[in-house]
Amino acid sequence: LAALGLRFRATSLSEIYVGANADVSGSGKSAQSINRAVDEFVDALNLPKALKDQLESQLRRSFGADPSNEVGAARQLYQRFNNVVVLGDPGSGKTCFVKYEILAYCKPPAEGGSWYSTHLPVYVSLAEASRLIDEKTSLLDICEILSSRRGIPLPKMEILKALSDGRAAMFFDGLDE
């Protein structure tokens, strides 16, 4: 939206963020094709809007292209499998998703704790990391340097402890770097 000149000066990311969907099966192209076919079919029928909407919903559900099946799936995937790779075109929201997820660690834990209360988020911009890589600098050193640049003192021993305990949530941004 910023590229179009729209600015949200007093708006936080959490106020405008739309939850990321995920295609668990990796069949994004086929879901797009199904959605296009359903749209064309339903549009060709001369039916009242309410009936068209109902038919469209039933067709999408029966062919596995119902978007409501995937709401929140991106978050659930990385919590369940402990890793996820988010792919998409430039500007599709990959970095926004990562930063929104990291903000979830800043919220007070829900009663009884939450997934976020037991994990340590570590954000690594691979563009910045690539400029720091040399034979003497380890990934943990890079994590410590990048965190301190953002004003977050995160000693590499703390990251190592979280990794050893299975509590580190590593967020690598910019796989194309």
Side-chain angles (χ1 to χ4, degrees):
L1 294 175
L4 300 172
L6 296 173
R7 301 280 186 241
F8 299 95
R9 297 191 197 298
T11 306
S12 69
L13 175 61
S14 59
E15 292 174 305
I16 62 172
Y17 182 76
V18 176
N21 295 333
D23 181 3
V24 179
S25 64
S27 61
K29 295 285 187 205
S30 64
Q32 289 173 355
S33 297
I34 291 169
N35 282 325
R36 190 171 46 251
V38 167
D39 288 341
E40 289 174 8
F41 174 74
V42 172
D43 287 343
L45 300 174
N46 191 15
L47 297 171
K49 179 171 177 15
L51 195 53
K52 276 186 179 183
D53 290 346
Q54 184 179 6
L55 177 61
E56 182 179 320
S57 174
Q58 289 176 349
L59 287 171
R60 287 186 202 287
R61 198 174 309 113
S62 67
F63 289 113
D66 182 12
S68 66
N69 292 338
E70 300 182 3
V71 173
R75 172 178 276 183
Q76 293 165 1
L77 280 176
Y78 86 84
Q79 289 178 5
R80 188 170 68 215
F81 296 111
N82 295 324
N83 63 64
V84 66
V85 176
V86 180
L87 303 173
D89 294 329
S92 63
K94 300 177 300 294
T95 299
C96 189
F97 169 72
V98 167
K99 290 183 177 182
Y100 183 79
E101 287 305 310
I102 289 172
L103 285 175
Y105 292 90
C106 301
K107 294 178 184 170
E111 189 175 313
S114 72
W115 190 89
Y116 297 102
S117 66
T118 60
H119 290 81
L120 173 70
V122 181
Y123 175 77
V124 179
S125 164
L126 294 177
E128 291 179 78
S130 68
R131 292 188 285 274
L132 296 173
I133 291 177
D134 63 29
E135 294 157 8
K136 297 177 281 188
T137 309
S138 71
L139 176 60
L140 292 177
D141 292 325
I142 291 171
C143 292
E144 181 178 32
I145 292 166
L146 294 178
S147 294
S148 68
R149 285 183 181 174
R150 289 179 174 75
I152 302 169
L154 191 56
K156 70 179 182 179
M157 291 310 295
E158 187 67 31
I159 300 169
L160 182 60
K161 182 171 177 2
L163 282 169
S164 298
D165 296 343
R167 296 181 309 100
M170 304 294 293
F171 293 91
F172 297 100
D173 189 24
L175 288 176
D176 57 339
E177 301 294 337

PDB file of all heavy atoms in Angstrom, residues 70-106:
ATOM      1  N   GLU A  70      -8.426 -22.910   5.407  1.00  0.00           N
ATOM      2  CA  GLU A  70      -7.015 -22.634   5.571  1.00  0.00           C
ATOM      3  C   GLU A  70      -6.727 -21.435   6.455  1.00  0.00           C
ATOM      4  O   GLU A  70      -5.581 -21.121   6.679  1.00  0.00           O
ATOM      5  CB  GLU A  70      -6.386 -22.408   4.196  1.00  0.00           C
ATOM      6  CG  GLU A  70      -6.529 -23.598   3.285  1.00  0.00           C
ATOM      7  CD  GLU A  70      -5.869 -23.380   1.948  1.00  0.00           C
ATOM      8  OE1 GLU A  70      -5.255 -22.328   1.731  1.00  0.00           O
ATOM      9  OE2 GLU A  70      -5.974 -24.265   1.112  1.00  0.00           O
ATOM     10  N   VAL A  71      -7.719 -20.742   6.954  1.00  0.00           N
ATOM     11  CA  VAL A  71      -7.487 -19.550   7.750  1.00  0.00           C
ATOM     12  C   VAL A  71      -6.667 -19.914   8.978  1.00  0.00           C
ATOM     13  O   VAL A  71      -7.001 -20.830   9.714  1.00  0.00           O
ATOM     14  CB  VAL A  71      -8.817 -18.886   8.155  1.00  0.00           C
ATOM     15  CG1 VAL A  71      -8.577 -17.754   9.131  1.00  0.00           C
ATOM     16  CG2 VAL A  71      -9.541 -18.394   6.924  1.00  0.00           C
ATOM     17  N   GLY A  72      -5.574 -19.191   9.162  1.00  0.00           N
ATOM     18  CA  GLY A  72      -4.699 -19.445  10.297  1.00  0.00           C
ATOM     19  C   GLY A  72      -3.773 -20.622  10.101  1.00  0.00           C
ATOM     20  O   GLY A  72      -3.001 -20.942  10.990  1.00  0.00           O
ATOM     21  N   ALA A  73      -3.825 -21.265   8.970  1.00  0.00           N
ATOM     22  CA  ALA A  73      -3.034 -22.480   8.769  1.00  0.00           C
ATOM     23  C   ALA A  73      -1.539 -22.207   8.807  1.00  0.00           C
ATOM     24  O   ALA A  73      -0.786 -23.047   9.286  1.00  0.00           O
ATOM     25  CB  ALA A  73      -3.414 -23.150   7.458  1.00  0.00           C
ATOM     26  N   ALA A  74      -1.089 -21.062   8.334  1.00  0.00           N
ATOM     27  CA  ALA A  74       0.345 -20.781   8.327  1.00  0.00           C
ATOM     28  C   ALA A  74       0.893 -20.786   9.752  1.00  0.00           C
ATOM     29  O   ALA A  74       1.918 -21.399  10.035  1.00  0.00           O
ATOM     30  CB  ALA A  74       0.613 -19.449   7.640  1.00  0.00           C
ATOM     31  N   ARG A  75       0.195 -20.145  10.665  1.00  0.00           N
ATOM     32  CA  ARG A  75       0.612 -20.118  12.071  1.00  0.00           C
ATOM     33  C   ARG A  75       0.563 -21.529  12.653  1.00  0.00           C
ATOM     34  O   ARG A  75       1.480 -21.965  13.340  1.00  0.00           O
ATOM     35  CB  ARG A  75      -0.298 -19.185  12.858  1.00  0.00           C
ATOM     36  CG  ARG A  75      -0.061 -19.242  14.359  1.00  0.00           C
ATOM     37  CD  ARG A  75      -0.921 -18.279  15.102  1.00  0.00           C
ATOM     38  NE  ARG A  75      -0.259 -16.987  15.087  1.00  0.00           N
ATOM     39  CZ  ARG A  75      -0.721 -15.922  15.711  1.00  0.00           C
ATOM     40  NH1 ARG A  75      -1.852 -15.983  16.362  1.00  0.00           N
ATOM     41  NH2 ARG A  75      -0.059 -14.795  15.677  1.00  0.00           N
ATOM     42  N   GLN A  76      -0.494 -22.252  12.397  1.00  0.00           N
ATOM     43  CA  GLN A  76      -0.646 -23.595  12.949  1.00  0.00           C
ATOM     44  C   GLN A  76       0.422 -24.542  12.416  1.00  0.00           C
ATOM     45  O   GLN A  76       0.912 -25.402  13.143  1.00  0.00           O
ATOM     46  CB  GLN A  76      -2.039 -24.134  12.634  1.00  0.00           C
ATOM     47  CG  GLN A  76      -3.132 -23.381  13.352  1.00  0.00           C
ATOM     48  CD  GLN A  76      -4.507 -23.660  12.772  1.00  0.00           C
ATOM     49  OE1 GLN A  76      -4.649 -24.440  11.844  1.00  0.00           O
ATOM     50  NE2 GLN A  76      -5.522 -23.001  13.308  1.00  0.00           N
ATOM     51  N   LEU A  77       0.798 -24.369  11.154  1.00  0.00           N
ATOM     52  CA  LEU A  77       1.798 -25.251  10.565  1.00  0.00           C
ATOM     53  C   LEU A  77       3.147 -25.137  11.251  1.00  0.00           C
ATOM     54  O   LEU A  77       3.762 -26.141  11.592  1.00  0.00           O
ATOM     55  CB  LEU A  77       1.966 -24.954   9.075  1.00  0.00           C
ATOM     56  CG  LEU A  77       0.938 -25.545   8.156  1.00  0.00           C
ATOM     57  CD1 LEU A  77       1.181 -25.076   6.729  1.00  0.00           C
ATOM     58  CD2 LEU A  77       0.952 -27.048   8.223  1.00  0.00           C
ATOM     59  N   TYR A  78       3.623 -23.922  11.438  1.00  0.00           N
ATOM     60  CA  TYR A  78       4.961 -23.829  12.020  1.00  0.00           C
ATOM     61  C   TYR A  78       4.958 -24.179  13.502  1.00  0.00           C
ATOM     62  O   TYR A  78       5.970 -24.623  14.032  1.00  0.00           O
ATOM     63  CB  TYR A  78       5.646 -22.497  11.709  1.00  0.00           C
ATOM     64  CG  TYR A  78       5.359 -21.341  12.622  1.00  0.00           C
ATOM     65  CD1 TYR A  78       6.056 -21.181  13.808  1.00  0.00           C
ATOM     66  CD2 TYR A  78       4.435 -20.372  12.280  1.00  0.00           C
ATOM     67  CE1 TYR A  78       5.816 -20.102  14.640  1.00  0.00           C
ATOM     68  CE2 TYR A  78       4.195 -19.296  13.104  1.00  0.00           C
ATOM     69  CZ  TYR A  78       4.888 -19.167  14.278  1.00  0.00           C
ATOM     70  OH  TYR A  78       4.648 -18.107  15.085  1.00  0.00           O
ATOM     71  N   GLN A  79       3.830 -24.038  14.166  1.00  0.00           N
ATOM     72  CA  GLN A  79       3.771 -24.472  15.562  1.00  0.00           C
ATOM     73  C   GLN A  79       3.697 -25.997  15.654  1.00  0.00           C
ATOM     74  O   GLN A  79       4.292 -26.593  16.542  1.00  0.00           O
ATOM     75  CB  GLN A  79       2.578 -23.841  16.267  1.00  0.00           C
ATOM     76  CG  GLN A  79       2.759 -22.362  16.501  1.00  0.00           C
ATOM     77  CD  GLN A  79       1.558 -21.711  17.171  1.00  0.00           C
ATOM     78  OE1 GLN A  79       0.614 -22.384  17.547  1.00  0.00           O
ATOM     79  NE2 GLN A  79       1.620 -20.415  17.309  1.00  0.00           N
ATOM     80  N   ARG A  80       2.989 -26.621  14.734  1.00  0.00           N
ATOM     81  CA  ARG A  80       2.830 -28.075  14.783  1.00  0.00           C
ATOM     82  C   ARG A  80       4.070 -28.806  14.288  1.00  0.00           C
ATOM     83  O   ARG A  80       4.503 -29.787  14.874  1.00  0.00           O
ATOM     84  CB  ARG A  80       1.615 -28.489  13.949  1.00  0.00           C
ATOM     85  CG  ARG A  80       1.298 -29.974  14.121  1.00  0.00           C
ATOM     86  CD  ARG A  80      -0.018 -30.366  13.505  1.00  0.00           C
ATOM     87  NE  ARG A  80       0.057 -30.273  12.067  1.00  0.00           N
ATOM     88  CZ  ARG A  80      -0.942 -29.888  11.275  1.00  0.00           C
ATOM     89  NH1 ARG A  80      -2.095 -29.550  11.779  1.00  0.00           N
ATOM     90  NH2 ARG A  80      -0.792 -29.830   9.981  1.00  0.00           N
ATOM     91  N   PHE A  81       4.673 -28.329  13.188  1.00  0.00           N
ATOM     92  CA  PHE A  81       5.804 -29.038  12.598  1.00  0.00           C
ATOM     93  C   PHE A  81       7.155 -28.431  12.962  1.00  0.00           C
ATOM     94  O   PHE A  81       8.186 -28.922  12.538  1.00  0.00           O
ATOM     95  CB  PHE A  81       5.668 -29.089  11.072  1.00  0.00           C
ATOM     96  CG  PHE A  81       4.469 -29.883  10.626  1.00  0.00           C
ATOM     97  CD1 PHE A  81       3.393 -29.253  10.032  1.00  0.00           C
ATOM     98  CD2 PHE A  81       4.418 -31.248  10.804  1.00  0.00           C
ATOM     99  CE1 PHE A  81       2.290 -29.970   9.619  1.00  0.00           C
ATOM    100  CE2 PHE A  81       3.318 -31.979  10.394  1.00  0.00           C
ATOM    101  CZ  PHE A  81       2.248 -31.339   9.804  1.00  0.00           C
ATOM    102  N   ASN A  82       7.136 -27.330  13.694  1.00  0.00           N
ATOM    103  CA  ASN A  82       8.352 -26.634  14.117  1.00  0.00           C
ATOM    104  C   ASN A  82       9.145 -26.024  12.981  1.00  0.00           C
ATOM    105  O   ASN A  82      10.271 -25.596  13.185  1.00  0.00           O
ATOM    106  CB  ASN A  82       9.254 -27.554  14.950  1.00  0.00           C
ATOM    107  CG  ASN A  82       8.608 -27.936  16.246  1.00  0.00           C
ATOM    108  OD1 ASN A  82       7.904 -27.134  16.851  1.00  0.00           O
ATOM    109  ND2 ASN A  82       8.811 -29.158  16.681  1.00  0.00           N
ATOM    110  N   ASN A  83       8.599 -26.019  11.795  1.00  0.00           N
ATOM    111  CA  ASN A  83       9.244 -25.303  10.696  1.00  0.00           C
ATOM    112  C   ASN A  83       8.252 -25.119   9.563  1.00  0.00           C
ATOM    113  O   ASN A  83       7.292 -25.882   9.443  1.00  0.00           O
ATOM    114  CB  ASN A  83      10.493 -26.036  10.201  1.00  0.00           C
ATOM    115  CG  ASN A  83      10.171 -27.393   9.640  1.00  0.00           C
ATOM    116  OD1 ASN A  83       9.481 -27.516   8.633  1.00  0.00           O
ATOM    117  ND2 ASN A  83      10.680 -28.443  10.267  1.00  0.00           N
ATOM    118  N   VAL A  84       8.481 -24.102   8.792  1.00  0.00           N
ATOM    119  CA  VAL A  84       7.662 -23.829   7.628  1.00  0.00           C
ATOM    120  C   VAL A  84       8.464 -22.912   6.709  1.00  0.00           C
ATOM    121  O   VAL A  84       9.245 -22.084   7.179  1.00  0.00           O
ATOM    122  CB  VAL A  84       6.302 -23.193   8.023  1.00  0.00           C
ATOM    123  CG1 VAL A  84       6.471 -21.827   8.630  1.00  0.00           C
ATOM    124  CG2 VAL A  84       5.357 -23.121   6.848  1.00  0.00           C
ATOM    125  N   VAL A  85       8.328 -23.113   5.430  1.00  0.00           N
ATOM    126  CA  VAL A  85       8.937 -22.223   4.446  1.00  0.00           C
ATOM    127  C   VAL A  85       7.798 -21.475   3.771  1.00  0.00           C
ATOM    128  O   VAL A  85       6.877 -22.089   3.237  1.00  0.00           O
ATOM    129  CB  VAL A  85       9.765 -22.998   3.394  1.00  0.00           C
ATOM    130  CG1 VAL A  85      10.299 -22.055   2.328  1.00  0.00           C
ATOM    131  CG2 VAL A  85      10.911 -23.737   4.063  1.00  0.00           C
ATOM    132  N   VAL A  86       7.856 -20.157   3.836  1.00  0.00           N
ATOM    133  CA  VAL A  86       6.814 -19.337   3.242  1.00  0.00           C
ATOM    134  C   VAL A  86       7.339 -18.811   1.914  1.00  0.00           C
ATOM    135  O   VAL A  86       8.340 -18.086   1.877  1.00  0.00           O
ATOM    136  CB  VAL A  86       6.423 -18.162   4.176  1.00  0.00           C
ATOM    137  CG1 VAL A  86       5.332 -17.317   3.547  1.00  0.00           C
ATOM    138  CG2 VAL A  86       5.990 -18.697   5.528  1.00  0.00           C
ATOM    139  N   LEU A  87       6.684 -19.207   0.842  1.00  0.00           N
ATOM    140  CA  LEU A  87       7.085 -18.791  -0.500  1.00  0.00           C
ATOM    141  C   LEU A  87       6.043 -17.840  -1.062  1.00  0.00           C
ATOM    142  O   LEU A  87       4.864 -17.931  -0.735  1.00  0.00           O
ATOM    143  CB  LEU A  87       7.205 -20.008  -1.422  1.00  0.00           C
ATOM    144  CG  LEU A  87       8.172 -21.101  -0.973  1.00  0.00           C
ATOM    145  CD1 LEU A  87       8.052 -22.313  -1.891  1.00  0.00           C
ATOM    146  CD2 LEU A  87       9.587 -20.579  -0.968  1.00  0.00           C
ATOM    147  N   GLY A  88       6.477 -16.961  -1.923  1.00  0.00           N
ATOM    148  CA  GLY A  88       5.541 -16.045  -2.552  1.00  0.00           C
ATOM    149  C   GLY A  88       6.267 -14.996  -3.362  1.00  0.00           C
ATOM    150  O   GLY A  88       7.482 -14.818  -3.254  1.00  0.00           O
ATOM    151  N   ASP A  89       5.508 -14.308  -4.171  1.00  0.00           N
ATOM    152  CA  ASP A  89       6.060 -13.239  -4.993  1.00  0.00           C
ATOM    153  C   ASP A  89       6.481 -12.061  -4.117  1.00  0.00           C
ATOM    154  O   ASP A  89       5.989 -11.916  -2.996  1.00  0.00           O
ATOM    155  CB  ASP A  89       5.013 -12.764  -6.007  1.00  0.00           C
ATOM    156  CG  ASP A  89       4.680 -13.840  -7.031  1.00  0.00           C
ATOM    157  OD1 ASP A  89       5.571 -14.642  -7.356  1.00  0.00           O
ATOM    158  OD2 ASP A  89       3.530 -13.869  -7.499  1.00  0.00           O
ATOM    159  N   PRO A  90       7.371 -11.198  -4.638  1.00  0.00           N
ATOM    160  CA  PRO A  90       7.717  -9.992  -3.883  1.00  0.00           C
ATOM    161  C   PRO A  90       6.453  -9.194  -3.567  1.00  0.00           C
ATOM    162  O   PRO A  90       5.584  -9.025  -4.416  1.00  0.00           O
ATOM    163  CB  PRO A  90       8.628  -9.218  -4.848  1.00  0.00           C
ATOM    164  CG  PRO A  90       9.194 -10.270  -5.751  1.00  0.00           C
ATOM    165  CD  PRO A  90       8.101 -11.302  -5.897  1.00  0.00           C
ATOM    166  N   GLY A  91       6.352  -8.746  -2.334  1.00  0.00           N
ATOM    167  CA  GLY A  91       5.202  -7.956  -1.924  1.00  0.00           C
ATOM    168  C   GLY A  91       3.987  -8.766  -1.530  1.00  0.00           C
ATOM    169  O   GLY A  91       2.931  -8.215  -1.246  1.00  0.00           O
ATOM    170  N   SER A  92       4.119 -10.088  -1.483  1.00  0.00           N
ATOM    171  CA  SER A  92       2.963 -10.926  -1.168  1.00  0.00           C
ATOM    172  C   SER A  92       2.707 -11.051   0.333  1.00  0.00           C
ATOM    173  O   SER A  92       1.711 -11.625   0.740  1.00  0.00           O
ATOM    174  CB  SER A  92       3.115 -12.315  -1.794  1.00  0.00           C
ATOM    175  OG  SER A  92       4.231 -12.992  -1.247  1.00  0.00           O
ATOM    176  N   GLY A  93       3.613 -10.547   1.165  1.00  0.00           N
ATOM    177  CA  GLY A  93       3.375 -10.533   2.601  1.00  0.00           C
ATOM    178  C   GLY A  93       4.217 -11.481   3.422  1.00  0.00           C
ATOM    179  O   GLY A  93       3.922 -11.715   4.585  1.00  0.00           O
ATOM    180  N   LYS A  94       5.277 -12.021   2.861  1.00  0.00           N
ATOM    181  CA  LYS A  94       6.112 -12.970   3.603  1.00  0.00           C
ATOM    182  C   LYS A  94       6.769 -12.297   4.811  1.00  0.00           C
ATOM    183  O   LYS A  94       6.683 -12.794   5.925  1.00  0.00           O
ATOM    184  CB  LYS A  94       7.180 -13.565   2.673  1.00  0.00           C
ATOM    185  CG  LYS A  94       6.618 -14.320   1.486  1.00  0.00           C
ATOM    186  CD  LYS A  94       7.713 -14.821   0.566  1.00  0.00           C
ATOM    187  CE  LYS A  94       8.580 -13.742  -0.033  1.00  0.00           C
ATOM    188  NZ  LYS A  94       7.932 -12.827  -0.960  1.00  0.00           N
ATOM    189  N   THR A  95       7.411 -11.169   4.603  1.00  0.00           N
ATOM    190  CA  THR A  95       8.066 -10.451   5.695  1.00  0.00           C
ATOM    191  C   THR A  95       7.043  -9.946   6.696  1.00  0.00           C
ATOM    192  O   THR A  95       7.262 -10.017   7.913  1.00  0.00           O
ATOM    193  CB  THR A  95       8.904  -9.278   5.146  1.00  0.00           C
ATOM    194  OG1 THR A  95       9.915  -9.816   4.285  1.00  0.00           O
ATOM    195  CG2 THR A  95       9.563  -8.487   6.266  1.00  0.00           C
ATOM    196  N   CYS A  96       5.910  -9.492   6.216  1.00  0.00           N
ATOM    197  CA  CYS A  96       4.838  -9.025   7.097  1.00  0.00           C
ATOM    198  C   CYS A  96       4.368 -10.174   7.990  1.00  0.00           C
ATOM    199  O   CYS A  96       4.170  -9.997   9.192  1.00  0.00           O
ATOM    200  CB  CYS A  96       3.694  -8.470   6.260  1.00  0.00           C
ATOM    201  SG  CYS A  96       2.425  -7.643   7.221  1.00  0.00           S
ATOM    202  N   PHE A  97       4.214 -11.355   7.428  1.00  0.00           N
ATOM    203  CA  PHE A  97       3.815 -12.530   8.209  1.00  0.00           C
ATOM    204  C   PHE A  97       4.838 -12.809   9.306  1.00  0.00           C
ATOM    205  O   PHE A  97       4.482 -13.008  10.470  1.00  0.00           O
ATOM    206  CB  PHE A  97       3.671 -13.753   7.292  1.00  0.00           C
ATOM    207  CG  PHE A  97       3.523 -15.047   8.038  1.00  0.00           C
ATOM    208  CD1 PHE A  97       2.361 -15.352   8.714  1.00  0.00           C
ATOM    209  CD2 PHE A  97       4.565 -15.967   8.061  1.00  0.00           C
ATOM    210  CE1 PHE A  97       2.225 -16.555   9.416  1.00  0.00           C
ATOM    211  CE2 PHE A  97       4.440 -17.159   8.749  1.00  0.00           C
ATOM    212  CZ  PHE A  97       3.268 -17.454   9.431  1.00  0.00           C
ATOM    213  N   VAL A  98       6.112 -12.808   8.945  1.00  0.00           N
ATOM    214  CA  VAL A  98       7.170 -13.094   9.918  1.00  0.00           C
ATOM    215  C   VAL A  98       7.153 -12.067  11.047  1.00  0.00           C
ATOM    216  O   VAL A  98       7.180 -12.418  12.221  1.00  0.00           O
ATOM    217  CB  VAL A  98       8.556 -13.124   9.220  1.00  0.00           C
ATOM    218  CG1 VAL A  98       9.679 -13.090  10.230  1.00  0.00           C
ATOM    219  CG2 VAL A  98       8.675 -14.348   8.330  1.00  0.00           C
ATOM    220  N   LYS A  99       7.076 -10.802  10.700  1.00  0.00           N
ATOM    221  CA  LYS A  99       7.109  -9.765  11.734  1.00  0.00           C
ATOM    222  C   LYS A  99       5.854  -9.791  12.597  1.00  0.00           C
ATOM    223  O   LYS A  99       5.924  -9.553  13.804  1.00  0.00           O
ATOM    224  CB  LYS A  99       7.324  -8.398  11.092  1.00  0.00           C
ATOM    225  CG  LYS A  99       8.746  -8.288  10.534  1.00  0.00           C
ATOM    226  CD  LYS A  99       9.048  -6.936   9.963  1.00  0.00           C
ATOM    227  CE  LYS A  99      10.497  -6.894   9.499  1.00  0.00           C
ATOM    228  NZ  LYS A  99      10.867  -5.593   8.984  1.00  0.00           N
ATOM    229  N   TYR A 100       4.728 -10.110  12.014  1.00  0.00           N
ATOM    230  CA  TYR A 100       3.496 -10.224  12.797  1.00  0.00           C
ATOM    231  C   TYR A 100       3.609 -11.377  13.788  1.00  0.00           C
ATOM    232  O   TYR A 100       3.197 -11.266  14.941  1.00  0.00           O
ATOM    233  CB  TYR A 100       2.287 -10.430  11.877  1.00  0.00           C
ATOM    234  CG  TYR A 100       0.982 -10.491  12.625  1.00  0.00           C
ATOM    235  CD1 TYR A 100       0.358  -9.329  13.061  1.00  0.00           C
ATOM    236  CD2 TYR A 100       0.380 -11.704  12.900  1.00  0.00           C
ATOM    237  CE1 TYR A 100      -0.839  -9.386  13.764  1.00  0.00           C
ATOM    238  CE2 TYR A 100      -0.819 -11.765  13.598  1.00  0.00           C
ATOM    239  CZ  TYR A 100      -1.426 -10.600  14.023  1.00  0.00           C
ATOM    240  OH  TYR A 100      -2.595 -10.652  14.721  1.00  0.00           O
ATOM    241  N   GLU A 101       4.165 -12.485  13.344  1.00  0.00           N
ATOM    242  CA  GLU A 101       4.334 -13.628  14.235  1.00  0.00           C
ATOM    243  C   GLU A 101       5.288 -13.303  15.376  1.00  0.00           C
ATOM    244  O   GLU A 101       5.068 -13.704  16.515  1.00  0.00           O
ATOM    245  CB  GLU A 101       4.811 -14.857  13.465  1.00  0.00           C
ATOM    246  CG  GLU A 101       3.728 -15.473  12.613  1.00  0.00           C
ATOM    247  CD  GLU A 101       2.486 -15.830  13.411  1.00  0.00           C
ATOM    248  OE1 GLU A 101       2.608 -16.498  14.461  1.00  0.00           O
ATOM    249  OE2 GLU A 101       1.396 -15.430  13.005  1.00  0.00           O
ATOM    250  N   ILE A 102       6.346 -12.557  15.083  1.00  0.00           N
ATOM    251  CA  ILE A 102       7.286 -12.179  16.134  1.00  0.00           C
ATOM    252  C   ILE A 102       6.602 -11.268  17.149  1.00  0.00           C
ATOM    253  O   ILE A 102       6.852 -11.364  18.351  1.00  0.00           O
ATOM    254  CB  ILE A 102       8.545 -11.536  15.527  1.00  0.00           C
ATOM    255  CG1 ILE A 102       9.358 -12.624  14.802  1.00  0.00           C
ATOM    256  CG2 ILE A 102       9.393 -10.866  16.601  1.00  0.00           C
ATOM    257  CD1 ILE A 102      10.515 -12.112  14.000  1.00  0.00           C
ATOM    258  N   LEU A 103       5.692 -10.417  16.696  1.00  0.00           N
ATOM    259  CA  LEU A 103       4.958  -9.551  17.622  1.00  0.00           C
ATOM    260  C   LEU A 103       4.105 -10.363  18.602  1.00  0.00           C
ATOM    261  O   LEU A 103       3.836  -9.917  19.713  1.00  0.00           O
ATOM    262  CB  LEU A 103       4.064  -8.576  16.857  1.00  0.00           C
ATOM    263  CG  LEU A 103       4.767  -7.413  16.183  1.00  0.00           C
ATOM    264  CD1 LEU A 103       3.772  -6.593  15.368  1.00  0.00           C
ATOM    265  CD2 LEU A 103       5.480  -6.535  17.198  1.00  0.00           C
ATOM    266  N   ALA A 104       3.699 -11.561  18.196  1.00  0.00           N
ATOM    267  CA  ALA A 104       2.894 -12.407  19.078  1.00  0.00           C
ATOM    268  C   ALA A 104       3.659 -12.779  20.349  1.00  0.00           C
ATOM    269  O   ALA A 104       3.053 -13.066  21.376  1.00  0.00           O
ATOM    270  CB  ALA A 104       2.448 -13.671  18.336  1.00  0.00           C
ATOM    271  N   TYR A 105       4.982 -12.764  20.301  1.00  0.00           N
ATOM    272  CA  TYR A 105       5.791 -13.076  21.478  1.00  0.00           C
ATOM    273  C   TYR A 105       5.749 -11.942  22.499  1.00  0.00           C
ATOM    274  O   TYR A 105       6.088 -12.123  23.653  1.00  0.00           O
ATOM    275  CB  TYR A 105       7.248 -13.328  21.084  1.00  0.00           C
ATOM    276  CG  TYR A 105       7.431 -14.590  20.289  1.00  0.00           C
ATOM    277  CD1 TYR A 105       7.350 -14.581  18.909  1.00  0.00           C
ATOM    278  CD2 TYR A 105       7.692 -15.799  20.925  1.00  0.00           C
ATOM    279  CE1 TYR A 105       7.505 -15.740  18.176  1.00  0.00           C
ATOM    280  CE2 TYR A 105       7.851 -16.967  20.201  1.00  0.00           C
ATOM    281  CZ  TYR A 105       7.760 -16.932  18.820  1.00  0.00           C
ATOM    282  OH  TYR A 105       7.918 -18.072  18.106  1.00  0.00           O
ATOM    283  N   CYS A 106       5.336 -10.758  22.064  1.00  0.00           N
ATOM    284  CA  CYS A 106       5.304  -9.591  22.952  1.00  0.00           C
ATOM    285  C   CYS A 106       4.007  -9.489  23.737  1.00  0.00           C
ATOM    286  O   CYS A 106       3.917  -8.704  24.676  1.00  0.00           O
ATOM    287  CB  CYS A 106       5.480  -8.308  22.126  1.00  0.00           C
ATOM    288  SG  CYS A 106       7.015  -8.277  21.208  1.00  0.00           S
TER     289      CYS A 106
END
